[in-house]
Amino acid sequence: MHVHRLEKRWAAIAVLLAGVMIAIVVYTAVGMGIHPPSNVETIDSTRLHLTPEFAEDNLGVRREKDGTVVARLVMARFHVVPQELTLPAGTPIVIRAASADVLHGLNVAGTNIGTQVVPGYVSEVRTTIDFDSAAKAGVRNPDGSVTVPLFCNEYCGLGHQSMWARVRVTPK
Amino acid sequence: MSAASAPASRRPNGLVLANFWVAFGLFFVATLLGLYQLLERNGYLPTSAPLYYQSVTLHGVVQAFVLTTFFIVGFGYFVTATALDRPLRAPRAAWAGFATMLAGTLLAAAAIVSGKATVLYTFYPPQLAPWTFYAGAALLIVGSIPWIVITVAMTADWKRENPGRPVPLAQFGMTACAILWAWTVVGVVVEVVFQLLPASLGLAATIDVGLARALFAWTLHPIVYFWLIPAYVALYTIVPKAAGGYLFSDEMGRVVFVMLLVFSLPIGLHHIFVDPQQAAGWKLMHAFGTFLVAIPTLLTGFTVCASLETAGRLRGGRGLFGWIRTLPWGEPVVLSGILAALLLLPGGFGGLVNASYAMDAMVHNTMWIPAHFHLIFGGTVVIVYFGSAYALWPKLTGRRLFSRRLANAQLWSWFAGILVLTVPWHWVGLLGMPRRTAYSPYDPAIVARWRPWTPPMIAGGAVLVVSAVLFVVNLAATHRVREEEPDGPLAYARTTEPLVAVPALLNGFAFWNGLVAVLMLLSWAYPIGQFFFMDVHKSLPWGPK
């Protein structure tokens, strides 16, 4: 087989490029611990209201004993419960979301919060909100906080576009 | 290729044209729908969520599945008959396949038009469409099976009769494409046959959504390379010759087709990076393969540029960049190759962002995603389909192309339209604008930030519609041109020195199929198998009763 000298060099560069990109992904994943939401936790989506965690009274934001802030949401055609969440910037937060019916998506502009919400599973995102990034994507409030939109970003039926909520991000 | 070529009457021209006209006719309708969607969701037409989502469903199904499958099958038959220079085996089976594909398309289209199958082209359960929608999709795939068999069988015949000789590169590429397609459809066929059809017929009360998403992801990535390989075949074997030059390297082309087959299959989990039901380690493994599949595209960029440079220099180009000016820019298929390569640069860059395991969460299902695939698919791939159509139409009809100037204007306008459409989409995607929403009932201050980008999007969409009109008119008018095209097969590009032999590994797929089987087992056995061992809560179907 004959391969031109220049072609060999270019092939080496191509392999090197792929190698560098793989190395970066491994570094951010293993070294910095940044993973997409992957908690593989099942739940019966038809009985969310009967579970201790996703019963109506337990939804919203609360601070756990260890200081982490946990926000629990239910996504159902075509609304998000609760309609407004207040989350602190610069603090480790956990988002836990479950679908009551079909496939939904959850995306908060200006943050790293993005996950599919798949019926039968709990989606969990662990992140820290950067106030400045959120401020760029959101609207400033008189009290100094910022409101960013939380969209359902997976087509869930004819009312999909109306399925959204607000996240108030408070500065640290 | 033998000196005495098969007479025109033995070429499968009618069959190829039938496939192409279904592809391009429906492509035209779907492009009009695209403009409707732009106008509706940005408030320039009366708001209607049912119509909008119905339109998105038809647009996506036609462009992603109908345009591609019909074009590729037609192009494949043409390449097989001309590159191997022999009549098609089993032409009746090929026609039966065409009829089956058409029946499937009409069945699915009727379901969508009825308004009961508004499930978008990704048809994610537990939302369900009527069974006719899934049956139509299945028939589209079943009808393509004769093409797979004919392509593989004719390559095998040729090798038996020409021991030790390299299979012509164009046919080698289309054989890779047919084999890739056979592997690709397994995921979605299993999903349709064992999950979606039983649920839509009322035979199954619940549906395992996690399993369905894994099976669909199996198909969702390699299908992109099924769309891409014919474009690469044209770039390697049609464009260099039409430019008046040589193919820089035949062997590298074979390496590329083999790599596309092997690397594009075991990486589908990157479509569900942010799904909660798959573990991080498996996603990371699929992320590696996602970067490896960039290698054949980088190699193709080099070979195509080197082949064009050879042509430009043979035409008198001097200096480092002088060969670019002397390229035959007025030759439609060459122009399409150049424009495709240019669109591949921003398209590939965007793809690296989505492919990045962690960064994907920020752009997932924002407008960034349709921006990316409209650049790569609507840009790079479809523009080469156009260029190939311009090169093939005279051979298929025996008539000169109606207008080369119109063809070039069409290619340039498509190129410009795609850029003007997708650059704003990338940007509003970064601003958080979700894809696939019928309108934007959000905080006015947020929506106001997206608004400045609306007019360019609509201008881009309008240019694309004009371009689609020019395309279809030019092809239709060619059938009525009086001037005849001199009879002769399409000339495929050759290397400067004749290719005498290639290693057996680069002349067949037996070994590579074995490797694919091993890789698929490694990368999918657990992500799919886990649903049979987990305590899964299946979902109730949602859909029209």
Side-chain angles (χ1 to χ4, degrees):
Chain A
M1 183 173 155
H2 116 105
V3 177
H4 194 277
R5 183 174 46 89
L6 286 175
E7 209 162 33
K8 274 186 192 152
R9 277 191 209 163
W10 177 251
I13 293 172
V15 172
L16 192 73
L17 275 174
V20 167
M21 289 184 283
I22 289 175
I24 292 172
V25 165
V26 171
Y27 175 71
T28 56
V30 181
M32 298 166 69
I34 304 175
H35 295 283
S38 313
N39 53 315
V40 198
E41 183 184 334
T42 59
I43 193 166
D44 185 351
S45 274
T46 57
R47 302 162 67 84
L48 288 183
H49 58 297
L50 302 177
T51 63
E53 182 170 12
F54 290 98
E56 284 84 347
D57 289 354
N58 202 42
L59 299 178
V61 183
R62 66 180 57 196
R63 192 176 285 269
E64 305 285 310
K65 288 191 188 97
D66 62 357
T68 35
V69 175
V70 182
R72 292 187 176 82
L73 298 140
V74 166
M75 312 217 28
R77 307 196 335 163
F78 299 104
H79 57 277
V80 182
V81 187
Q83 273 290 290
E84 184 163 326
L85 299 168
T86 302
L87 292 170
T91 309
I93 56 167
V94 181
I95 309 283
R96 286 177 60 80
S99 163
D101 40 47
V102 300
L103 189 65
H104 297 286
L106 186 164
N107 181 278
V108 183
T111 72
N112 289 339
I113 302 167
T115 181
Q116 293 281 152
V117 182
V118 182
Y121 300 88
V122 177
S123 303
E124 185 176 287
V125 180
R126 290 174 175 271
T127 186
T128 302
I129 298 176
D130 176 58
F131 186 78
D132 294 336
S133 305
K136 274 183 205 146
V139 185
R140 292 250 180 202
N141 300 315
D143 66 357
S145 66
V146 161
T147 299
V148 287
L150 180 159
F151 296 116
C152 171
N153 68 355
E154 184 64 74
Y155 172 71
C156 53
L158 298 183
H160 163 57
Q161 69 288 332
S162 303
M163 190 168 167
W164 67 291
R166 292 187 178 89
V167 177
R168 255 161 76 102
V169 180
T170 52
K172 201 180 179 187
Chain B
M1 205 180 293
S2 60
S5 54
S9 58
R10 290 173 63 198
R11 289 185 216 130
N13 292 347
L15 177 66
V16 176
L17 278 171
N19 276 284
F20 279 1
W21 268 120
V22 174
F24 293 137
L26 287 172
F27 150 82
F28 179 72
V29 175
T31 305
L32 294 180
L33 293 176
L35 182 59
Y36 160 74
Q37 290 151 220
L38 273 170
L39 292 168
E40 191 275 352
R41 86 189 295 247
N42 289 300
Y44 291 85
L45 280 176
T47 296
S48 167
L51 266 186
Y52 170 81
Y53 294 117
Q54 195 180 4
S55 177
V56 175
T57 305
L58 195 55
H59 175 85
V61 165
V62 167
Q63 307 291 45
F65 305 137
V66 178
L67 162 66
T68 49
T69 311
F70 278 92
F71 175 82
I72 293 165
V73 167
F75 184 77
Y77 285 139
F78 179 86
V79 166
T80 300
T82 55
L84 300 182
D85 194 23
R86 55 182 56 190
L88 275 193
R89 262 180 73 168
R92 284 206 194 120
W95 274 108
F98 169 77
T100 309
M101 282 168 58
L102 188 59
T105 302
L106 295 175
L107 198 59
I112 298 169
V113 171
S114 79
K116 291 184 177 168
T118 304
V119 288
L120 309 193
Y121 78 104
T122 38
F123 47 88
Y124 291 130
Q127 286 191 78
L128 281 185
W131 67 271
T132 48
F133 177 80
Y134 306 111
L139 287 178
L140 180 64
I141 293 169
V142 168
S144 69
I145 292 174
W147 166 68
I148 300 174
V149 175
I150 289 170
T151 305
V152 172
M154 286 185 66
T155 300
D157 288 351
W158 192 92
K159 282 174 72 174
R160 228 181 352 264
E161 291 160 28
N162 298 274
R165 285 182 59 201
V167 176
L169 181 61
Q171 177 65 9
F172 186 81
M174 288 315 292
T175 310
C177 189
I179 293 172
L180 176 65
W181 180 232
W183 278 103
T184 298
V185 296
V186 171
V188 75
V189 165
V190 172
E191 184 199 5
V192 164
V193 172
F194 292 101
Q195 296 193 280
L196 301 177
L197 274 175
S200 63
L201 287 166
L203 302 174
T206 57
I207 191 157
D208 185 338
V209 174
L211 176 62
R213 286 180 66 68
L215 291 169
F216 195 72
W218 163 308
T219 297
L220 206 49
H221 204 67
I223 198 172
V224 177
Y225 290 85
F226 163 68
W227 305 336
L228 189 67
I229 288 181
Y232 280 14
V233 166
L235 289 176
Y236 276 96
T237 66
I238 299 177
V239 169
K241 178 75 182 175
Y246 294 90
L247 173 60
F248 187 77
S249 167
D250 183 289
E251 285 102 322
M252 221 39 159
R254 289 164 197 271
V255 171
V256 162
F257 292 128
V258 164
M259 286 172 96
L260 290 174
L261 170 65
V262 172
F263 289 150
S264 70
L265 275 157
I267 62 178
L269 271 187
H270 73 220
H271 287 267
I272 49 176
F273 269 161
V274 296
D275 269 36
Q277 76 281 9
Q278 296 287 352
W282 294 102
K283 293 175 180 171
L284 194 57
M285 176 174 163
H286 284 235
F288 294 168
T290 304
F291 288 113
L292 292 180
V293 82
I295 294 174
T297 291
L298 289 167
L299 296 178
T300 300
F302 180 89
T303 308
V304 171
C305 288
S307 304
L308 286 174
E309 183 180 341
T310 315
R313 293 199 186 283
L314 282 171
R315 301 168 66 95
R318 297 277 173 273
L320 202 53
F321 297 112
W323 58 271
I324 296 175
R325 196 175 42 79
T326 54
L327 285 173
W329 290 83
E331 181 62 50
V333 69
V334 177
L335 179 63
S336 80
I338 298 170
L339 298 179
L342 290 175
L343 289 172
L344 198 55
L345 292 173
F349 169 76
L352 292 178
V353 175
N354 328 333
S356 296
Y357 182 68
M359 249 196 295
D360 174 59
M362 287 184 287
V363 295
H364 182 76
N365 274 351
T366 66
M367 284 304 292
W368 177 278
I369 300 299
H372 166 67
F373 67 70
H374 278 79
L375 255 180
I376 286 279
F377 173 68
T380 303
V381 171
V382 169
I383 223 165
V384 180
Y385 290 2
F386 294 152
S388 305
Y390 291 134
L392 264 51
W393 232 258
K395 302 292 172 194
L396 296 168
T397 59
R399 318 266 155 193
R400 285 279 170 87
L401 188 66
F402 172 69
S403 167
R404 286 155 64 99
R405 285 184 61 178
L406 206 60
N408 291 323
Q410 188 267 323
L411 292 168
W412 277 113
S413 56
W414 191 267
F415 173 76
I418 283 287
L419 282 176
V420 175
L421 179 77
T422 57
V423 170
W425 280 5
H426 276 103
W427 188 249
V428 293
L430 290 179
L431 291 177
M433 184 180 188
R435 69 191 274 210
R436 296 169 155 180
T437 47
Y439 49 97
S440 300
Y442 314 119
D443 276 336
I446 300 288
V447 177
R449 282 186 210 156
W450 307 335
R451 282 286 172 242
W453 298 94
T454 304
M457 288 174 201
I458 290 171
V463 170
L464 291 174
V465 165
V466 172
S467 183
V469 172
L470 296 182
F471 177 65
V472 176
V473 164
N474 207 352
L475 295 186
T478 299
H479 288 270
R480 316 191 81 190
V481 167
R482 294 256 171 87
E483 213 181 333
E484 290 189 2
E485 171 82 4
D487 184 36
L490 182 89
Y492 290 100
R494 298 171 190 213
T495 44
T496 41
E497 288 163 35
L499 188 72
V500 186
V502 291
L505 278 180
L506 296 182
N507 208 32
F509 294 95
F511 172 80
W512 303 114
N513 271 319
L515 183 62
V516 168
V518 171
L519 289 175
M520 290 306 267
L521 196 67
L522 283 175
S523 53
W524 280 111
Y526 187 88
I528 290 176
Q530 64 168 347
F531 297 105
F532 296 95
F533 301 103
M534 264 158 77
D535 183 19
V536 173
H537 297 278
K538 295 185 180 176
S539 292
L540 296 169
W542 288 71
K545 291 289 176 289

